[in-house]
Amino acid sequence: MKNFVFQNSTKIIFGQDTEQQVGQEAALYGKRLLLHYGGGSIKKSGLYDRVIQSLKAKGMEIFELSGVMPNPRVSLVREGISLCKEKNIDIILAVGGGSVIDSAKAIAAGAKYDGDVWDFFDGKGQITDCLPLGVVLTIPAAGSESSSGSVITNEDGWYKKSTGHPSMRPKFAILNPVLSYTLSAYQTACGITDMMAHIMERYFTNEKNVELTDRLCEATLRTIINNAHTVLDDPENYEARAEIMWSGTIAHNDLLSTGRIGDWGSHDIEHEISGIYDIAHGAGLAIVFPAWMKYVYKHDINRFAQFAHRVWDVEMNLNNLEKTALMGIEKLEAFFQSINMPIRLQEIKIDDTHLEEMARKGTESGPLGNFVKLHKEDVLHILKLAL
Ligand code: NZQ
Ligand code: ZN
């Protein structure tokens, strides 16, 4: 087990009606608040009205910036930064999913910086401080509600890049599973896939003695798998929605990374796909992850066999561990199919036109991944396996 520091300071407020506490939590950080949200789902569901009411009850002065798109754009981030500087904003409140939260995080960092915010994403600038950020989560998926990272797309060249800093971590995150009832089956499944991918990125490590985190990863994956069909068949099942929502946070709050180094190659490859084709991140991962697994499993067949056995109940074939390992990958793919995720690029009408470009852009600043280092040719190979 590697040495580690674990500090996740996001206050999680979980359960029914918890959005009513947003005013009280936000007021701890000042009066002037930027309310940041997406394309309107929060208005349709009535959440917007409840949030405004709670904020007003605490005397907050509210400024608004809406219109965050999935795969959030740097142009709106820049708009948000100007607004924060001009209006002297004390706190940003993100009401939505990963895209809204990531956009809010980039605004929070940019508001404390004199240069252009994209500097943080292309390595030209360092985040040192952020405006405080609060979250009301509406889709369990990205785990951004308690992560220290942000992923933003630059329309100029369609680069999708990430950055991170401890000060970016939300001060509080309100998680009411009821807010996820209005998600479409597709968005629910994309979220499930993303959180599973966050766990698997951590699971496939070269660190040998990490039994506790291995087993925590397996338990979280099994919980997601056990509840996935329930939330899809019965979207208003509170208990199942609650299991999924909490799993999404646990998957990405860094607890499962303790003592080990994760991979993240599949995420980086997916960001190249959603950067160019603007697809949902979770759908991209359902395609990339199995392809990555098929390409790298021989690097540690034991770990893949353990994954198959402990997560998917595949019988351990001690005479043929490779067979066990491959059955685990098959089970994962079949699961993604069962929740109506695509598992090949062609299913979402992506052909080989940009594969070379994606492999090049993805490896511009060095090889991807840690479990196995992936150079341009490796990434291209994985993308071809995903076709
Ligand atoms: O914009 P609105 O109208 O709100 O609609 C959204 C959006 O169209 C809709 N939605 C959200 N909550 C809803 C709802 N519709 C009905 N009812 C609700 N309760 O869902 C759509 C997708 O939202 P989005 O925020 O894009 O989804 P997600 O949470 O999956 O976020 C994806 C983004 O997060 C990044 C991804 O790359 C992607 O850009 N990630 C961020 C990470 C981080 N910061 O730590 C890590 C992840 O690996 C990921 O890369
Ligand atoms: Zn992800």
Side-chain angles (χ1 to χ4, degrees):
M1 198 188 291
K2 292 213 169 304
N3 290 3
F4 65 86
V5 173
F6 175 69
Q7 182 176 16
N8 190 312
S9 48
T10 303
K11 176 178 181 182
I12 302 287
I13 302 166
F14 191 98
Q16 308 223 25
D17 300 324
T18 43
E19 66 272 20
Q20 288 170 9
Q21 297 173 42
V22 67
Q24 168 188 327
E25 291 300 322
L28 297 174
Y29 301 93
K31 281 268 173 259
R32 297 166 72 81
L33 176 140
L34 178 68
L35 176 61
H36 198 38
Y37 57 98
S41 74
I42 69 162
K43 287 204 167 158
K44 226 184 278 169
S45 67
L47 174 61
Y48 172 88
D49 294 331
R50 298 201 295 283
V51 167
I52 294 281
Q53 197 181 15
S54 173
L55 294 172
K56 287 204 166 147
K58 290 290 166 188
M60 301 296 287
E61 196 176 341
I62 305 164
F63 301 85
E64 287 193 26
L65 182 63
S66 63
V68 180
M69 297 160 84
N71 300 317
R73 312 295 203 259
V74 73
S75 51
L76 191 73
V77 169
R78 291 189 179 118
E79 223 178 287
I81 293 167
S82 305
L83 200 60
C84 284
K85 289 181 175 171
E86 186 188 317
K87 305 287 183 196
N88 249 322
I89 294 295
D90 298 314
I91 171 168
I92 304 175
L93 178 68
V95 183
S99 296
V100 174
I101 304 167
D102 284 2
S103 181
K105 284 174 168 175
I107 295 171
K112 295 271 189 175
Y113 182 64
D114 288 334
D116 179 49
V117 67
W118 191 249
D119 291 353
F120 299 140
F121 294 85
D122 69 4
K124 288 190 191 137
Q126 271 295 320
I127 300 171
T128 50
D129 194 15
C130 287
L131 280 176
L133 169 70
V135 169
V136 178
L137 185 69
T138 63
I139 167 171
S144 186
E145 64 276 10
S146 77
S147 82
S148 58
S150 163
V151 190
I152 299 291
T153 297
N154 191 332
E155 302 95 314
D156 184 7
W158 296 105
Y159 281 91
K160 183 172 179 180
K161 289 193 177 279
S162 57
T163 190
H165 189 263
S167 65
M168 251 188 184
R169 221 183 270 283
K171 299 290 181 208
F172 65 88
I174 292 180
L175 275 59
N176 176 358
V178 173
L179 301 180
S180 62
Y181 288 0
T182 52
L183 284 169
S184 66
Y186 180 72
Q187 285 298 343
T188 300
C190 285
I192 286 168
T193 306
D194 191 18
M195 59 183 81
M196 289 176 71
H198 294 160
I199 302 166
M200 295 188 294
E201 296 280 19
R202 291 169 164 97
Y203 193 79
F204 291 100
T205 180
N206 291 318
E207 205 54 38
K208 295 291 174 212
N209 299 302
V210 279
E211 184 180 351
L212 175 66
T213 38
D214 269 2
R215 292 195 184 274
L216 289 172
C217 286
E218 291 152 5
T220 316
L221 280 170
R222 291 186 69 109
T223 304
I224 298 165
I225 295 161
N226 281 343
N227 286 280
H229 286 283
T230 309
V231 294
L232 290 169
D233 296 344
D234 181 12
E236 302 201 2
N237 184 316
Y238 180 82
E239 298 305 336
R241 286 284 193 189
E243 298 289 353
I244 293 286
M245 191 169 252
W246 189 218
S247 297
T249 303
I250 294 294
H252 204 44
N253 78 347
D254 286 342
L255 175 66
L256 305 184
S257 315
T258 48
R260 54 205 290 147
I261 292 176
D263 184 69
W264 301 101
S266 300
H267 260 71
D268 286 336
I269 297 172
E270 193 295 313
H271 287 165
E272 293 307 319
I273 304 175
S274 50
I276 292 184
Y277 291 99
D278 205 15
I279 59 164
H281 171 63
L285 286 166
I287 295 166
V288 172
F289 229 110
W292 173 84
M293 287 178 157
K294 288 171 201 164
Y295 191 67
V296 304
Y297 77 92
K298 287 191 176 143
H299 175 71
D300 188 348
I301 288 186
N302 287 340
R303 181 154 283 278
F304 272 90
Q306 176 182 298
F307 171 76
H309 178 62
R310 292 198 194 156
V311 177
W312 300 102
D313 294 330
V314 174
E315 205 178 319
M316 189 67 92
N317 184 341
L318 293 173
N319 298 319
N320 193 342
L321 281 181
E322 181 168 7
K323 200 167 169 196
T324 309
L326 286 172
M327 279 179 72
I329 303 173
E330 263 174 48
K331 289 265 188 189
L332 175 70
E333 239 177 11
F335 174 77
F336 286 153
Q337 270 184 310
S338 78
I339 58 169
N340 289 320
M341 283 285 97
I343 54 164
R344 294 289 182 274
L345 289 169
Q346 285 178 11
E347 287 175 55
I348 51 170
K349 304 203 169 22
I350 294 179
D351 61 17
D352 60 3
T353 312
H354 292 288
L355 299 193
E356 178 84 23
E357 178 190 346
M358 292 192 273
R360 177 182 54 74
K361 279 165 80 179
T363 52
E364 253 169 24
S365 21
L368 304 181
N370 292 301
F371 183 65
V372 173
K373 289 280 177 204
L374 304 172
H375 297 272
K376 186 187 154 200
E377 288 310 312
D378 302 306
V379 173
L380 190 57
H381 201 113
I382 291 168
L383 286 167
K384 284 183 180 163
L385 280 174
L387 266 178

